[in-house]
């Protein structure tokens, strides 16, 4: 009986140590180390290669090393019936709330213009926007989105939240469903996307949605690259319908070197760092998940495959 660890990054060592401490009898195999596939009971994965999980006949659970599970569900050979568990919050809600606050302040305080002026040694004072005039709309109101919305509200920003099904968050004006999305976006000076990627939310940030936002609005995408229709963003920025974007996630990662986003004057690019899984923050949760599974209990974070998160 083995734990199989698969991640594109080479960050396996802290996980091996944590598992060695918690389950000294449980062998920990880091892909692509050789081993018996029949022995694998738990797969701890980030972006597993397609077909890998279907080769493990005795798999008892798949655990995502992050909040998202789109990287698992996209495998056409994903074994049916094996529970998938996602991390609920292992520090990324706070990280993503901070990133969102930073992004909103960046645009509110006109940093893109000041940075451009600095490059020209141009001393020109521009008025910052008033916080009360910067209504922020947070798309996604789960553990992460709720935290993002509350952090922004605590700074005095008027905050709205949108989710697919109705949700309440203290102090936040909430909207839901397709009809709610129109009303929500029509008032959002900044839209911050933290939605999970599902067939229903793919391409949600498109020309039609940008067109209903107030002219010159901003988009912050820390959900998934496939939420955003890239050409529609470029067109909306070029026409002035959108004023700028801060993007952390992309359809193709790493973002290809010749991608137009890299050098676009109205786009800030960061390399998928808004919410990262830090082993020291997440290991207690993962160990607890395995402990519960070993006791025959179903841990929280079970993914509903039909919902996609
Ligand atoms: C990061 O993108 C995650 O899903 O945790």
């Amino acid at each position: 009986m083995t734990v199989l660890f698969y991640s594109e990054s080479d960050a396996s060592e802290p996980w091996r140590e944590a598992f060695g401490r918690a389950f000294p009898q449980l062998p920990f195999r880091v892909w692509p180390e050789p081993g018996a596939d029949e022995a694998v009971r738990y797969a701890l994965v980030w972006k597993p290669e397609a077909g890998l999980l279907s080769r493990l006949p005795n798999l008892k659970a798949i655990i995502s090393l992050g909040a998202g599970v789109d990287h698992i569900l996209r495998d056409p050979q994903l074994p049916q019936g094996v529970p998938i568990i996602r991390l609920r919050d292992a520090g990324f809600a706070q990280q993503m709330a901070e990133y969102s606050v930073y992004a909103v302040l960046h645009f509110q305080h006109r940093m893109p213009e000041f940075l451009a002026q600095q490059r020209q040694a141009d001393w020109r004072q521009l008025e910052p926007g008033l916080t009360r005039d910067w209504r922020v709309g947070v798309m996604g109101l789960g553990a992460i989105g709720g935290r993002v919305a509350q952090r922004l509200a605590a700074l005095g920003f008027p905050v709205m939240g949108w989710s697919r099904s109705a949700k309440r968050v203290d102090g936040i004006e909430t909207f839901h469903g397709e009809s709610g999305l129109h009303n929500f976006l029509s008032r959002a000076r900044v839209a911050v996307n933290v939605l999970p990627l599902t067939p229903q939310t793919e391409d949600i940030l498109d020309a039609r949605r940008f067109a209903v936002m107030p002219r010159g609005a901003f988009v912050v995408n820390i959900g998934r690259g496939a939420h955003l229709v890239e050409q529609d963003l470029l067109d909306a920025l070029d026409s002035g319908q959108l004023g700028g974007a801060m993007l952390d996630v992309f359809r193709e990662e790493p973002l290809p070197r010749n991608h137009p986003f890299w050098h676009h004057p109205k786009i800030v690019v960061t390399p998928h760092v808004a919410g990262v899984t830090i082993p020291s923050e997440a290991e207690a949760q993962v160990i607890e998940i395995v402990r519960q599974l070993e006791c025959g209990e179903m841990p929280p974070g079970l993914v509903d495959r039909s919902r996609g998160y």
Side-chain angles (χ1 to χ4, degrees), residues 130-142:
L130 290 175
T131 303
R132 65 165 183 268
D133 295 338
W134 278 67
R135 189 175 304 282
V136 182
V138 179
M139 302 171 71
L141 287 175

Side-chain angles (χ1 to χ4, degrees), residues 46-47 64-71 87 92 96 144 222-224 248-249 253 272 274-277:
W46 182 252
K47 295 192 183 174
S64 170
L65 275 165
V69 288
D70 49 299
H71 62 106
L87 299 188
F92 19 77
M96 291 169 85
I144 295 169
I222 54 175
R224 285 290 182 259
D248 185 56
V249 287
E253 294 181 7
H272 202 140
V276 298
T277 302

Side-chain angles (χ1 to χ4, degrees), residues 17-91:
E17 281 165 28
F19 271 80
R21 277 193 304 273
F23 307 105
Q25 1 34 343
L26 201 63
F28 190 87
R29 173 178 156 207
V30 176
W31 188 264
E33 287 167 8
D37 289 344
E38 314 75 62
V40 176
R41 197 165 166 119
Y42 304 108
L44 184 56
V45 297
W46 182 252
K47 295 192 183 174
E49 65 181 40
L52 168 72
L53 297 165
S54 68
R55 294 203 292 273
L56 310 171
N58 296 312
L59 195 57
K60 200 165 157 193
I62 301 164
I63 304 165
S64 170
L65 275 165
V69 288
D70 49 299
H71 62 106
I72 296 171
L73 295 176
R74 69 184 173 194
D75 180 352
Q77 297 166 58
L78 183 65
Q80 297 302 313
V82 179
I84 302 171
I85 318 287
R86 67 192 181 102
L87 299 188
R88 282 152 299 138
D89 176 21

Side-chain angles (χ1 to χ4, degrees), residues 2 30 57 87-88 91 97 100 113 141 144 161 183 220 257 260-261 279:
T2 305
V30 176
L87 299 188
R88 282 152 299 138
S100 304
E113 288 153 284
L141 287 175
I144 295 169
N183 294 339
V220 178
R257 285 189 63 85
F261 286 175

Side-chain angles (χ1 to χ4, degrees), residues 240-261:
Q241 174 54 23
L242 290 181
M246 193 175 289
L247 308 175
D248 185 56
V249 287
F250 304 91
R251 287 190 182 255
E252 187 179 346
E253 294 181 7
L255 187 63
R257 285 189 63 85
N258 60 355
H259 196 285
F261 286 175

Side-chain angles (χ1 to χ4, degrees), residues 141 161-169 174-177:
L141 287 175
W162 180 83
S163 48
R164 282 222 305 136
S165 51
K167 286 222 173 96
R168 292 170 78 99
V169 182
T174 56
F175 298 76
H176 69 276

